[in-house]
Amino acid sequence: MGIAFYPEDGLDQDTLIKNADTAMYRAKESGKNTYRVFTPAMNKRVTGWLAVENNLRKALDRGEFFLHYQPKVDLITGAIVGVEALIRWRRGDGEIINPADFIPMAEDTGLIVEIGDWVFAQACVDLSEILGKGYGIKMSVNLSPRQFRQEDLLGKIRATLAAAGIGPEGLIFEITEGSVMENEQKAIVLLGALRGMGAEISIDDFGTGYSSLYYLKQLPIGELKIDRRFVRDIAGHGDNVAIVTAIIAMAKSLGMRVVAEGVETGEQLHFLRRHGCDEMQGFLFSKPVAKEVLLEMLDCGAQLDLAAYDNSPQQPLPFAVRAEGEVTCA
Ligand code: C2E
Ligand code: MG
Ligand code: MG
C-alpha cells in the first residue's frame, strides 16, 4: 500500500495518485504486506530517472536493444536442450550495456513493459527460425515483476505467438519468487493459464528470494533455476553444497526439473551431475551468444562428453567460438 496526503503531497487527484503509486512501489520493493508513506525524496529518485527513462525510450525507438542466447545443456545427454534470451543494449557510442545496469531502471520507470514486449516478440521470431531449421529446443524468456503484473499479459502473449507463427509449447517463462509472492492468488490463476496454454514456468534465481513452499507446491512450476551464487563454491565443498543438494532434492520430490546457473568449471559440472541436477547453463559451455552463433553451434551437433568430466575437469568443447562469432566444430 502506498499513502499520499492532501494537500502536502499533491493538490490535484493526478498528483496524489501518482505519489501514492510511487510510495506503493517502494512498499513492494521491501516485500509484501507493508506500506510506505510518500516522501519527496522518493520523487527525487524518480526525477533522476527521467533522463534514464528518456535514454531507454530512445534506445527502444532506435532499435538499440538486441538479444543474446545462452544454451542450456542436458546433464544426461550433454546436448543443448534450450536457450535463455538475454537482452543487451548497444548504445549510440557503440558501448554494450548489460541488463543489470538498465533493467532495474526500466522496471522502476515502467518501461520494462515495452522493452519486455520487444524481447518477447524478438525471441518468438528467432525461435520460429530455429524450430524451422529443425532444432527442437526450448526458449526461456525472463518476465520481470512489473511485466507479470500486467492485466493483459495472456492476450499479449497469444497475439505475439500468433504473429510469429509458433505455438506456446516451446516457451519457458522465467519469473522470480517475488513475482509469485506479491500476489499468490493472482499468480495461481495466471500461471495456471500460461501452463494451460502449453507454456512452461520456471522460477529464476531460486533460493535468493523469499517464497512460501506452500504456494510453490500449488503452482504449475516445471523448472527451478539454482542461482549462480549458490553454484559458485559447490566444487570447493563450500557452505553452499548443502543448499544446492537440498534444492535439487526438493525439486525432484516436487516433480520439477532443476537447472544450475553460472556453471563455470568442470568440477561444478561433475558435482551437479553426480547429485542429479537435470540441466546446466554457464560459461563452461557457452556465454550468451548471437542467434547466428547459436545456430552454428547447433549445426555442429554440439554435445558435451559428460562422462569425461568424471575423470578430469578439463575437457575440450564440441566447438570453438572465435572473436567475431565464427564457430568451428570439433
Ligand atoms: P538471469 O535471468 O538470472 O540470467 C542469467 C545471468 O547469468 C545472465 O546475465 C548470464 O549472462 C549470466 N551468466 C550465465 N552463466 C554465467 C557464468 O557461468 N558465469 C557468470 N559470471 N555469469 C553467468 P545477464 O545477461 O547480464 O543478465 C542479468 C539479469 O538481467 C538476468 O538474470 C535477468 O534477471 C535480467 N535480464 C536479462 N535479460 C532480460 C530480459 O529480457 N527481461 C527481463 N525482465 N530481465 C532480463
Ligand atoms: Mg533468467
Ligand atoms: Mg537467474
Side-chain angles (χ1 to χ4, degrees), residues 67 70 84-88 98-100 103 112 116 119 142-144 147 174 204-205 225 227-228 261-264 281-284 286 288:
L67 294 181
Q70 187 175 35
E84 176 173 8
L86 294 158
I87 195 172
R88 305 285 178 260
N98 280 323
I103 290 285
I112 190 68
V119 169
N142 293 286
L143 276 187
S144 78
Q147 290 173 270
E174 294 192 3
D204 204 354
D205 307 332
K225 293 187 96 171
D227 193 79
R228 70 166 182 275
E261 295 187 318
V263 177
E264 294 184 352
Q281 183 181 337
F283 294 175
L284 173 69
S286 172

PDB file of all heavy atoms in Angstrom, residues 67 70 84-88 98-100 103 112 116 119 142-144 147 174 204-205 225 227-228 261-264 281-284 286 288, ligand 1:
ATOM      1  N   LEU A  67      19.246  -9.256 -28.667  1.00  0.00           N
ATOM      2  CA  LEU A  67      19.211 -10.415 -27.775  1.00  0.00           C
ATOM      3  C   LEU A  67      20.405 -11.321 -27.990  1.00  0.00           C
ATOM      4  O   LEU A  67      20.876 -11.488 -29.112  1.00  0.00           O
ATOM      5  CB  LEU A  67      17.935 -11.234 -28.007  1.00  0.00           C
ATOM      6  CG  LEU A  67      16.612 -10.578 -27.645  1.00  0.00           C
ATOM      7  CD1 LEU A  67      15.451 -11.543 -27.905  1.00  0.00           C
ATOM      8  CD2 LEU A  67      16.608 -10.135 -26.184  1.00  0.00           C
ATOM      9  N   GLN A  70      21.777 -17.879 -24.411  1.00  0.00           N
ATOM     10  CA  GLN A  70      22.727 -18.757 -23.724  1.00  0.00           C
ATOM     11  C   GLN A  70      22.167 -20.180 -23.678  1.00  0.00           C
ATOM     12  O   GLN A  70      21.056 -20.407 -23.199  1.00  0.00           O
ATOM     13  CB  GLN A  70      22.993 -18.279 -22.295  1.00  0.00           C
ATOM     14  CG  GLN A  70      24.119 -19.089 -21.640  1.00  0.00           C
ATOM     15  CD  GLN A  70      24.507 -18.581 -20.267  1.00  0.00           C
ATOM     16  OE1 GLN A  70      23.658 -18.115 -19.504  1.00  0.00           O
ATOM     17  NE2 GLN A  70      25.789 -18.673 -19.951  1.00  0.00           N
ATOM     18  N   GLU A  84      18.343 -19.405 -23.139  1.00  0.00           N
ATOM     19  CA  GLU A  84      17.688 -18.292 -22.452  1.00  0.00           C
ATOM     20  C   GLU A  84      17.972 -17.014 -23.232  1.00  0.00           C
ATOM     21  O   GLU A  84      19.124 -16.744 -23.584  1.00  0.00           O
ATOM     22  CB  GLU A  84      18.210 -18.151 -21.014  1.00  0.00           C
ATOM     23  CG  GLU A  84      17.615 -16.921 -20.315  1.00  0.00           C
ATOM     24  CD  GLU A  84      17.961 -16.812 -18.835  1.00  0.00           C
ATOM     25  OE1 GLU A  84      18.798 -17.592 -18.334  1.00  0.00           O
ATOM     26  OE2 GLU A  84      17.374 -15.921 -18.177  1.00  0.00           O
ATOM     27  N   ALA A  85      16.910 -16.263 -23.504  1.00  0.00           N
ATOM     28  CA  ALA A  85      17.058 -14.977 -24.194  1.00  0.00           C
ATOM     29  C   ALA A  85      17.499 -13.932 -23.173  1.00  0.00           C
ATOM     30  O   ALA A  85      16.846 -13.763 -22.145  1.00  0.00           O
ATOM     31  CB  ALA A  85      15.728 -14.572 -24.822  1.00  0.00           C
ATOM     32  N   LEU A  86      18.602 -13.236 -23.451  1.00  0.00           N
ATOM     33  CA  LEU A  86      19.118 -12.221 -22.537  1.00  0.00           C
ATOM     34  C   LEU A  86      19.347 -10.933 -23.313  1.00  0.00           C
ATOM     35  O   LEU A  86      20.015 -10.921 -24.350  1.00  0.00           O
ATOM     36  CB  LEU A  86      20.414 -12.715 -21.889  1.00  0.00           C
ATOM     37  CG  LEU A  86      20.215 -13.933 -20.964  1.00  0.00           C
ATOM     38  CD1 LEU A  86      21.509 -14.712 -20.774  1.00  0.00           C
ATOM     39  CD2 LEU A  86      19.645 -13.496 -19.612  1.00  0.00           C
ATOM     40  N   ILE A  87      18.781  -9.854 -22.792  1.00  0.00           N
ATOM     41  CA  ILE A  87      18.823  -8.587 -23.529  1.00  0.00           C
ATOM     42  C   ILE A  87      20.164  -7.872 -23.354  1.00  0.00           C
ATOM     43  O   ILE A  87      20.818  -7.995 -22.311  1.00  0.00           O
ATOM     44  CB  ILE A  87      17.655  -7.668 -23.084  1.00  0.00           C
ATOM     45  CG1 ILE A  87      17.468  -6.516 -24.076  1.00  0.00           C
ATOM     46  CG2 ILE A  87      17.867  -7.159 -21.672  1.00  0.00           C
ATOM     47  CD1 ILE A  87      16.219  -5.684 -23.807  1.00  0.00           C
ATOM     48  N   ARG A  88      20.565  -7.153 -24.392  1.00  0.00           N
ATOM     49  CA  ARG A  88      21.757  -6.295 -24.383  1.00  0.00           C
ATOM     50  C   ARG A  88      21.368  -4.969 -25.008  1.00  0.00           C
ATOM     51  O   ARG A  88      20.453  -4.921 -25.810  1.00  0.00           O
ATOM     52  CB  ARG A  88      22.876  -6.910 -25.244  1.00  0.00           C
ATOM     53  CG  ARG A  88      23.263  -8.345 -24.867  1.00  0.00           C
ATOM     54  CD  ARG A  88      24.085  -8.359 -23.612  1.00  0.00           C
ATOM     55  NE  ARG A  88      24.470  -9.673 -23.146  1.00  0.00           N
ATOM     56  CZ  ARG A  88      23.850 -10.312 -22.165  1.00  0.00           C
ATOM     57  NH1 ARG A  88      22.757  -9.833 -21.624  1.00  0.00           N
ATOM     58  NH2 ARG A  88      24.312 -11.460 -21.719  1.00  0.00           N
ATOM     59  N   ASN A  98      25.076  -4.049 -20.103  1.00  0.00           N
ATOM     60  CA  ASN A  98      24.457  -5.279 -19.613  1.00  0.00           C
ATOM     61  C   ASN A  98      23.128  -4.990 -18.913  1.00  0.00           C
ATOM     62  O   ASN A  98      22.939  -3.912 -18.377  1.00  0.00           O
ATOM     63  CB  ASN A  98      25.409  -5.990 -18.653  1.00  0.00           C
ATOM     64  CG  ASN A  98      26.455  -6.770 -19.424  1.00  0.00           C
ATOM     65  OD1 ASN A  98      26.173  -7.354 -20.469  1.00  0.00           O
ATOM     66  ND2 ASN A  98      27.674  -6.740 -18.917  1.00  0.00           N
ATOM     67  N   PRO A  99      22.258  -5.973 -18.918  1.00  0.00           N
ATOM     68  CA  PRO A  99      20.923  -5.747 -18.338  1.00  0.00           C
ATOM     69  C   PRO A  99      20.945  -5.315 -16.871  1.00  0.00           C
ATOM     70  O   PRO A  99      20.085  -4.549 -16.452  1.00  0.00           O
ATOM     71  CB  PRO A  99      20.221  -7.094 -18.501  1.00  0.00           C
ATOM     72  CG  PRO A  99      21.270  -8.072 -18.883  1.00  0.00           C
ATOM     73  CD  PRO A  99      22.373  -7.314 -19.505  1.00  0.00           C
ATOM     74  N   ALA A 100      21.940  -5.779 -16.106  1.00  0.00           N
ATOM     75  CA  ALA A 100      21.981  -5.397 -14.692  1.00  0.00           C
ATOM     76  C   ALA A 100      22.051  -3.882 -14.546  1.00  0.00           C
ATOM     77  O   ALA A 100      21.618  -3.320 -13.545  1.00  0.00           O
ATOM     78  CB  ALA A 100      23.184  -6.048 -14.015  1.00  0.00           C
ATOM     79  N   ILE A 103      18.028  -2.792 -16.527  1.00  0.00           N
ATOM     80  CA  ILE A 103      16.737  -3.431 -16.248  1.00  0.00           C
ATOM     81  C   ILE A 103      16.093  -2.887 -14.953  1.00  0.00           C
ATOM     82  O   ILE A 103      14.898  -2.611 -14.934  1.00  0.00           O
ATOM     83  CB  ILE A 103      16.866  -4.976 -16.205  1.00  0.00           C
ATOM     84  CG1 ILE A 103      17.145  -5.532 -17.606  1.00  0.00           C
ATOM     85  CG2 ILE A 103      15.627  -5.639 -15.612  1.00  0.00           C
ATOM     86  CD1 ILE A 103      15.962  -5.553 -18.542  1.00  0.00           C
ATOM     87  N   ILE A 112       9.907  -1.252 -18.651  1.00  0.00           N
ATOM     88  CA  ILE A 112      10.181  -2.682 -18.797  1.00  0.00           C
ATOM     89  C   ILE A 112       9.049  -3.373 -19.562  1.00  0.00           C
ATOM     90  O   ILE A 112       9.280  -4.373 -20.249  1.00  0.00           O
ATOM     91  CB  ILE A 112      10.374  -3.366 -17.416  1.00  0.00           C
ATOM     92  CG1 ILE A 112      10.889  -4.798 -17.582  1.00  0.00           C
ATOM     93  CG2 ILE A 112       9.100  -3.401 -16.625  1.00  0.00           C
ATOM     94  CD1 ILE A 112      12.276  -4.918 -18.111  1.00  0.00           C
ATOM     95  N   GLY A 116      10.071  -5.417 -22.510  1.00  0.00           N
ATOM     96  CA  GLY A 116       9.738  -6.835 -22.415  1.00  0.00           C
ATOM     97  C   GLY A 116       8.917  -7.321 -23.599  1.00  0.00           C
ATOM     98  O   GLY A 116       9.106  -8.444 -24.080  1.00  0.00           O
ATOM     99  N   VAL A 119      11.367  -7.811 -26.341  1.00  0.00           N
ATOM    100  CA  VAL A 119      12.166  -9.027 -26.100  1.00  0.00           C
ATOM    101  C   VAL A 119      11.359 -10.260 -26.497  1.00  0.00           C
ATOM    102  O   VAL A 119      11.835 -11.128 -27.238  1.00  0.00           O
ATOM    103  CB  VAL A 119      12.581  -9.150 -24.612  1.00  0.00           C
ATOM    104  CG1 VAL A 119      13.165 -10.530 -24.306  1.00  0.00           C
ATOM    105  CG2 VAL A 119      13.590  -8.062 -24.245  1.00  0.00           C
ATOM    106  N   ASN A 142      12.732 -14.114 -19.724  1.00  0.00           N
ATOM    107  CA  ASN A 142      12.554 -13.553 -18.384  1.00  0.00           C
ATOM    108  C   ASN A 142      11.339 -12.626 -18.333  1.00  0.00           C
ATOM    109  O   ASN A 142      11.160 -11.792 -19.216  1.00  0.00           O
ATOM    110  CB  ASN A 142      13.796 -12.758 -17.972  1.00  0.00           C
ATOM    111  CG  ASN A 142      15.003 -13.650 -17.783  1.00  0.00           C
ATOM    112  OD1 ASN A 142      15.104 -14.382 -16.812  1.00  0.00           O
ATOM    113  ND2 ASN A 142      15.923 -13.616 -18.746  1.00  0.00           N
ATOM    114  N   LEU A 143      10.551 -12.786 -17.302  1.00  0.00           N
ATOM    115  CA  LEU A 143       9.409 -11.885 -17.080  1.00  0.00           C
ATOM    116  C   LEU A 143       9.617 -11.205 -15.731  1.00  0.00           C
ATOM    117  O   LEU A 143       9.647 -11.867 -14.696  1.00  0.00           O
ATOM    118  CB  LEU A 143       8.105 -12.669 -16.999  1.00  0.00           C
ATOM    119  CG  LEU A 143       7.347 -13.057 -18.262  1.00  0.00           C
ATOM    120  CD1 LEU A 143       6.015 -13.667 -17.864  1.00  0.00           C
ATOM    121  CD2 LEU A 143       7.122 -11.864 -19.168  1.00  0.00           C
ATOM    122  N   SER A 144       9.773  -9.869 -15.761  1.00  0.00           N
ATOM    123  CA  SER A 144      10.025  -9.151 -14.508  1.00  0.00           C
ATOM    124  C   SER A 144       8.717  -9.008 -13.725  1.00  0.00           C
ATOM    125  O   SER A 144       7.633  -9.208 -14.274  1.00  0.00           O
ATOM    126  CB  SER A 144      10.588  -7.776 -14.830  1.00  0.00           C
ATOM    127  OG  SER A 144       9.531  -6.934 -15.230  1.00  0.00           O
ATOM    128  N   GLN A 147       6.198  -6.803 -15.415  1.00  0.00           N
ATOM    129  CA  GLN A 147       5.575  -7.432 -16.580  1.00  0.00           C
ATOM    130  C   GLN A 147       4.521  -8.427 -16.128  1.00  0.00           C
ATOM    131  O   GLN A 147       3.465  -8.559 -16.733  1.00  0.00           O
ATOM    132  CB  GLN A 147       6.619  -8.174 -17.421  1.00  0.00           C
ATOM    133  CG  GLN A 147       7.582  -7.296 -18.158  1.00  0.00           C
ATOM    134  CD  GLN A 147       8.662  -8.150 -18.813  1.00  0.00           C
ATOM    135  OE1 GLN A 147       9.699  -8.423 -18.222  1.00  0.00           O
ATOM    136  NE2 GLN A 147       8.404  -8.577 -20.027  1.00  0.00           N
ATOM    137  N   GLU A 174      10.451 -17.363 -17.317  1.00  0.00           N
ATOM    138  CA  GLU A 174      11.195 -17.314 -16.055  1.00  0.00           C
ATOM    139  C   GLU A 174      10.679 -16.163 -15.212  1.00  0.00           C
ATOM    140  O   GLU A 174      10.719 -15.011 -15.634  1.00  0.00           O
ATOM    141  CB  GLU A 174      12.693 -17.116 -16.331  1.00  0.00           C
ATOM    142  CG  GLU A 174      13.327 -18.291 -17.024  1.00  0.00           C
ATOM    143  CD  GLU A 174      14.861 -18.212 -17.028  1.00  0.00           C
ATOM    144  OE1 GLU A 174      15.428 -17.259 -16.441  1.00  0.00           O
ATOM    145  OE2 GLU A 174      15.475 -19.108 -17.622  1.00  0.00           O
ATOM    146  N   ASP A 204      13.253 -18.403 -11.449  1.00  0.00           N
ATOM    147  CA  ASP A 204      14.626 -17.945 -11.670  1.00  0.00           C
ATOM    148  C   ASP A 204      15.290 -17.592 -10.331  1.00  0.00           C
ATOM    149  O   ASP A 204      14.599 -17.207  -9.386  1.00  0.00           O
ATOM    150  CB  ASP A 204      14.577 -16.688 -12.554  1.00  0.00           C
ATOM    151  CG  ASP A 204      15.869 -16.447 -13.322  1.00  0.00           C
ATOM    152  OD1 ASP A 204      16.850 -17.174 -13.089  1.00  0.00           O
ATOM    153  OD2 ASP A 204      15.878 -15.521 -14.154  1.00  0.00           O
ATOM    154  N   ASP A 205      16.598 -17.704 -10.278  1.00  0.00           N
ATOM    155  CA  ASP A 205      17.381 -17.304  -9.092  1.00  0.00           C
ATOM    156  C   ASP A 205      16.818 -17.933  -7.825  1.00  0.00           C
ATOM    157  O   ASP A 205      16.768 -17.285  -6.770  1.00  0.00           O
ATOM    158  CB  ASP A 205      17.395 -15.778  -8.928  1.00  0.00           C
ATOM    159  CG  ASP A 205      17.839 -15.071 -10.200  1.00  0.00           C
ATOM    160  OD1 ASP A 205      18.607 -15.673 -10.963  1.00  0.00           O
ATOM    161  OD2 ASP A 205      17.406 -13.929 -10.438  1.00  0.00           O
ATOM    162  N   LYS A 225      15.515 -22.791 -11.216  1.00  0.00           N
ATOM    163  CA  LYS A 225      16.896 -22.460 -11.578  1.00  0.00           C
ATOM    164  C   LYS A 225      17.645 -22.066 -10.315  1.00  0.00           C
ATOM    165  O   LYS A 225      17.275 -21.107  -9.626  1.00  0.00           O
ATOM    166  CB  LYS A 225      16.928 -21.311 -12.589  1.00  0.00           C
ATOM    167  CG  LYS A 225      16.346 -21.707 -13.928  1.00  0.00           C
ATOM    168  CD  LYS A 225      16.539 -20.614 -14.952  1.00  0.00           C
ATOM    169  CE  LYS A 225      17.774 -20.862 -15.787  1.00  0.00           C
ATOM    170  NZ  LYS A 225      17.852 -19.914 -16.931  1.00  0.00           N
ATOM    171  N   ASP A 227      20.305 -20.299  -8.331  1.00  0.00           N
ATOM    172  CA  ASP A 227      21.084 -19.088  -8.563  1.00  0.00           C
ATOM    173  C   ASP A 227      22.584 -19.371  -8.569  1.00  0.00           C
ATOM    174  O   ASP A 227      23.076 -20.211  -7.825  1.00  0.00           O
ATOM    175  CB  ASP A 227      20.778 -18.051  -7.491  1.00  0.00           C
ATOM    176  CG  ASP A 227      21.312 -16.692  -7.871  1.00  0.00           C
ATOM    177  OD1 ASP A 227      20.670 -16.020  -8.688  1.00  0.00           O
ATOM    178  OD2 ASP A 227      22.409 -16.320  -7.373  1.00  0.00           O
ATOM    179  N   ARG A 228      23.301 -18.611  -9.411  1.00  0.00           N
ATOM    180  CA  ARG A 228      24.733 -18.912  -9.552  1.00  0.00           C
ATOM    181  C   ARG A 228      25.541 -18.595  -8.298  1.00  0.00           C
ATOM    182  O   ARG A 228      26.632 -19.106  -8.108  1.00  0.00           O
ATOM    183  CB  ARG A 228      25.310 -18.239 -10.786  1.00  0.00           C
ATOM    184  CG  ARG A 228      25.425 -16.749 -10.749  1.00  0.00           C
ATOM    185  CD  ARG A 228      26.332 -16.310 -11.904  1.00  0.00           C
ATOM    186  NE  ARG A 228      26.516 -14.887 -11.908  1.00  0.00           N
ATOM    187  CZ  ARG A 228      25.670 -14.033 -12.489  1.00  0.00           C
ATOM    188  NH1 ARG A 228      24.608 -14.476 -13.097  1.00  0.00           N
ATOM    189  NH2 ARG A 228      25.900 -12.744 -12.447  1.00  0.00           N
ATOM    190  N   GLU A 261      22.544 -22.505 -12.683  1.00  0.00           N
ATOM    191  CA  GLU A 261      23.018 -21.331 -13.419  1.00  0.00           C
ATOM    192  C   GLU A 261      24.489 -21.072 -13.099  1.00  0.00           C
ATOM    193  O   GLU A 261      24.959 -21.433 -12.024  1.00  0.00           O
ATOM    194  CB  GLU A 261      22.274 -20.078 -12.969  1.00  0.00           C
ATOM    195  CG  GLU A 261      20.815 -20.046 -13.263  1.00  0.00           C
ATOM    196  CD  GLU A 261      20.216 -18.682 -12.914  1.00  0.00           C
ATOM    197  OE1 GLU A 261      20.554 -18.108 -11.859  1.00  0.00           O
ATOM    198  OE2 GLU A 261      19.432 -18.213 -13.709  1.00  0.00           O
ATOM    199  N   GLY A 262      25.170 -20.415 -14.016  1.00  0.00           N
ATOM    200  CA  GLY A 262      26.525 -19.947 -13.737  1.00  0.00           C
ATOM    201  C   GLY A 262      27.547 -21.050 -13.542  1.00  0.00           C
ATOM    202  O   GLY A 262      28.471 -20.913 -12.736  1.00  0.00           O
ATOM    203  N   VAL A 263      27.398 -22.151 -14.284  1.00  0.00           N
ATOM    204  CA  VAL A 263      28.377 -23.237 -14.187  1.00  0.00           C
ATOM    205  C   VAL A 263      29.613 -22.853 -15.005  1.00  0.00           C
ATOM    206  O   VAL A 263      29.528 -22.657 -16.209  1.00  0.00           O
ATOM    207  CB  VAL A 263      27.784 -24.570 -14.700  1.00  0.00           C
ATOM    208  CG1 VAL A 263      28.830 -25.672 -14.664  1.00  0.00           C
ATOM    209  CG2 VAL A 263      26.565 -24.938 -13.871  1.00  0.00           C
ATOM    210  N   GLU A 264      30.731 -22.707 -14.298  1.00  0.00           N
ATOM    211  CA  GLU A 264      31.939 -22.226 -14.972  1.00  0.00           C
ATOM    212  C   GLU A 264      33.049 -23.266 -15.036  1.00  0.00           C
ATOM    213  O   GLU A 264      33.992 -23.116 -15.801  1.00  0.00           O
ATOM    214  CB  GLU A 264      32.451 -20.962 -14.260  1.00  0.00           C
ATOM    215  CG  GLU A 264      31.491 -19.784 -14.383  1.00  0.00           C
ATOM    216  CD  GLU A 264      32.033 -18.498 -13.766  1.00  0.00           C
ATOM    217  OE1 GLU A 264      33.082 -18.551 -13.108  1.00  0.00           O
ATOM    218  OE2 GLU A 264      31.387 -17.453 -13.962  1.00  0.00           O
ATOM    219  N   GLN A 281      23.608 -24.296 -17.177  1.00  0.00           N
ATOM    220  CA  GLN A 281      23.767 -23.153 -18.052  1.00  0.00           C
ATOM    221  C   GLN A 281      24.960 -22.405 -17.498  1.00  0.00           C
ATOM    222  O   GLN A 281      25.045 -22.204 -16.287  1.00  0.00           O
ATOM    223  CB  GLN A 281      22.485 -22.320 -17.943  1.00  0.00           C
ATOM    224  CG  GLN A 281      22.398 -21.116 -18.813  1.00  0.00           C
ATOM    225  CD  GLN A 281      21.078 -20.350 -18.594  1.00  0.00           C
ATOM    226  OE1 GLN A 281      20.095 -20.916 -18.140  1.00  0.00           O
ATOM    227  NE2 GLN A 281      21.092 -19.077 -18.901  1.00  0.00           N
ATOM    228  N   GLY A 282      25.906 -22.042 -18.342  1.00  0.00           N
ATOM    229  CA  GLY A 282      27.046 -21.319 -17.791  1.00  0.00           C
ATOM    230  C   GLY A 282      28.186 -21.183 -18.766  1.00  0.00           C
ATOM    231  O   GLY A 282      28.186 -21.801 -19.834  1.00  0.00           O
ATOM    232  N   PHE A 283      29.164 -20.356 -18.365  1.00  0.00           N
ATOM    233  CA  PHE A 283      30.286 -20.045 -19.245  1.00  0.00           C
ATOM    234  C   PHE A 283      31.110 -21.282 -19.590  1.00  0.00           C
ATOM    235  O   PHE A 283      31.813 -21.292 -20.588  1.00  0.00           O
ATOM    236  CB  PHE A 283      31.182 -18.973 -18.601  1.00  0.00           C
ATOM    237  CG  PHE A 283      30.512 -17.623 -18.444  1.00  0.00           C
ATOM    238  CD1 PHE A 283      31.154 -16.581 -17.780  1.00  0.00           C
ATOM    239  CD2 PHE A 283      29.236 -17.392 -18.962  1.00  0.00           C
ATOM    240  CE1 PHE A 283      30.544 -15.328 -17.645  1.00  0.00           C
ATOM    241  CE2 PHE A 283      28.615 -16.152 -18.826  1.00  0.00           C
ATOM    242  CZ  PHE A 283      29.275 -15.120 -18.158  1.00  0.00           C
ATOM    243  N   LEU A 284      31.053 -22.318 -18.746  1.00  0.00           N
ATOM    244  CA  LEU A 284      31.792 -23.538 -19.063  1.00  0.00           C
ATOM    245  C   LEU A 284      31.430 -24.021 -20.467  1.00  0.00           C
ATOM    246  O   LEU A 284      32.300 -24.377 -21.253  1.00  0.00           O
ATOM    247  CB  LEU A 284      31.463 -24.650 -18.058  1.00  0.00           C
ATOM    248  CG  LEU A 284      32.047 -26.033 -18.399  1.00  0.00           C
ATOM    249  CD1 LEU A 284      33.562 -26.032 -18.256  1.00  0.00           C
ATOM    250  CD2 LEU A 284      31.452 -27.126 -17.534  1.00  0.00           C
ATOM    251  N   SER A 286      29.031 -22.241 -22.680  1.00  0.00           N
ATOM    252  CA  SER A 286      28.967 -21.084 -23.569  1.00  0.00           C
ATOM    253  C   SER A 286      28.450 -19.851 -22.857  1.00  0.00           C
ATOM    254  O   SER A 286      27.551 -19.922 -22.028  1.00  0.00           O
ATOM    255  CB  SER A 286      28.048 -21.393 -24.754  1.00  0.00           C
ATOM    256  OG  SER A 286      27.829 -20.224 -25.521  1.00  0.00           O
ATOM    257  N   PRO A 288      26.381 -16.199 -23.308  1.00  0.00           N
ATOM    258  CA  PRO A 288      25.265 -15.866 -24.199  1.00  0.00           C
ATOM    259  C   PRO A 288      25.829 -15.407 -25.545  1.00  0.00           C
ATOM    260  O   PRO A 288      26.804 -14.650 -25.579  1.00  0.00           O
ATOM    261  CB  PRO A 288      24.567 -14.713 -23.473  1.00  0.00           C
ATOM    262  CG  PRO A 288      24.990 -14.852 -22.032  1.00  0.00           C
ATOM    263  CD  PRO A 288      26.385 -15.388 -22.086  1.00  0.00           C
TER     264      PRO A 288
HETATM  265  P1  C2E B   1      19.207 -14.220 -15.122  1.00  0.00           P
HETATM  266  O1  C2E B   1      17.871 -14.348 -15.765  1.00  0.00           O
HETATM  267  O2  C2E B   1      19.441 -14.978 -13.874  1.00  0.00           O
HETATM  268  O3  C2E B   1      20.257 -14.608 -16.254  1.00  0.00           O
HETATM  269  C1  C2E B   1      21.454 -15.261 -16.033  1.00  0.00           C
HETATM  270  C2  C2E B   1      22.603 -14.290 -15.991  1.00  0.00           C
HETATM  271  O4  C2E B   1      23.780 -15.004 -15.596  1.00  0.00           O
HETATM  272  C3  C2E B   1      22.947 -13.677 -17.349  1.00  0.00           C
HETATM  273  O5  C2E B   1      23.438 -12.364 -17.105  1.00  0.00           O
HETATM  274  C4  C2E B   1      24.077 -14.553 -17.836  1.00  0.00           C
HETATM  275  O6  C2E B   1      24.916 -13.938 -18.779  1.00  0.00           O
HETATM  276  C5  C2E B   1      24.801 -14.790 -16.537  1.00  0.00           C
HETATM  277  N1  C2E B   1      25.616 -15.996 -16.572  1.00  0.00           N
HETATM  278  C6  C2E B   1      25.318 -17.173 -17.165  1.00  0.00           C
HETATM  279  N2  C2E B   1      26.284 -18.073 -16.988  1.00  0.00           N
HETATM  280  C7  C2E B   1      27.237 -17.474 -16.260  1.00  0.00           C
HETATM  281  C8  C2E B   1      28.513 -17.911 -15.738  1.00  0.00           C
HETATM  282  O7  C2E B   1      28.946 -19.045 -15.931  1.00  0.00           O
HETATM  283  N3  C2E B   1      29.216 -17.004 -15.013  1.00  0.00           N
HETATM  284  C9  C2E B   1      28.767 -15.738 -14.780  1.00  0.00           C
HETATM  285  N4  C2E B   1      29.523 -14.926 -14.059  1.00  0.00           N
HETATM  286  N5  C2E B   1      27.571 -15.297 -15.246  1.00  0.00           N
HETATM  287  C10 C2E B   1      26.821 -16.155 -15.976  1.00  0.00           C
HETATM  288  P2  C2E B   1      22.927 -11.112 -17.903  1.00  0.00           P
HETATM  289  O8  C2E B   1      22.685 -11.471 -19.336  1.00  0.00           O
HETATM  290  O9  C2E B   1      23.860  -9.985 -17.615  1.00  0.00           O
HETATM  291  O10 C2E B   1      21.511 -10.830 -17.262  1.00  0.00           O
HETATM  292  C11 C2E B   1      21.391 -10.444 -15.907  1.00  0.00           C
HETATM  293  C12 C2E B   1      19.956 -10.420 -15.476  1.00  0.00           C
HETATM  294  O11 C2E B   1      19.216  -9.406 -16.144  1.00  0.00           O
HETATM  295  C13 C2E B   1      19.215 -11.706 -15.776  1.00  0.00           C
HETATM  296  O12 C2E B   1      19.496 -12.671 -14.803  1.00  0.00           O
HETATM  297  C14 C2E B   1      17.787 -11.235 -15.738  1.00  0.00           C
HETATM  298  O13 C2E B   1      17.315 -11.149 -14.424  1.00  0.00           O
HETATM  299  C15 C2E B   1      17.896  -9.833 -16.299  1.00  0.00           C
HETATM  300  N6  C2E B   1      17.504  -9.864 -17.715  1.00  0.00           N
HETATM  301  C16 C2E B   1      18.255 -10.163 -18.791  1.00  0.00           C
HETATM  302  N7  C2E B   1      17.529 -10.090 -19.929  1.00  0.00           N
HETATM  303  C17 C2E B   1      16.272  -9.752 -19.543  1.00  0.00           C
HETATM  304  C18 C2E B   1      15.029  -9.533 -20.252  1.00  0.00           C
HETATM  305  O14 C2E B   1      14.927  -9.651 -21.468  1.00  0.00           O
HETATM  306  N8  C2E B   1      13.938  -9.177 -19.500  1.00  0.00           N
HETATM  307  C19 C2E B   1      13.998  -9.060 -18.140  1.00  0.00           C
HETATM  308  N9  C2E B   1      12.888  -8.723 -17.480  1.00  0.00           N
HETATM  309  N10 C2E B   1      15.133  -9.265 -17.456  1.00  0.00           N
HETATM  310  C20 C2E B   1      16.259  -9.610 -18.145  1.00  0.00           C
END
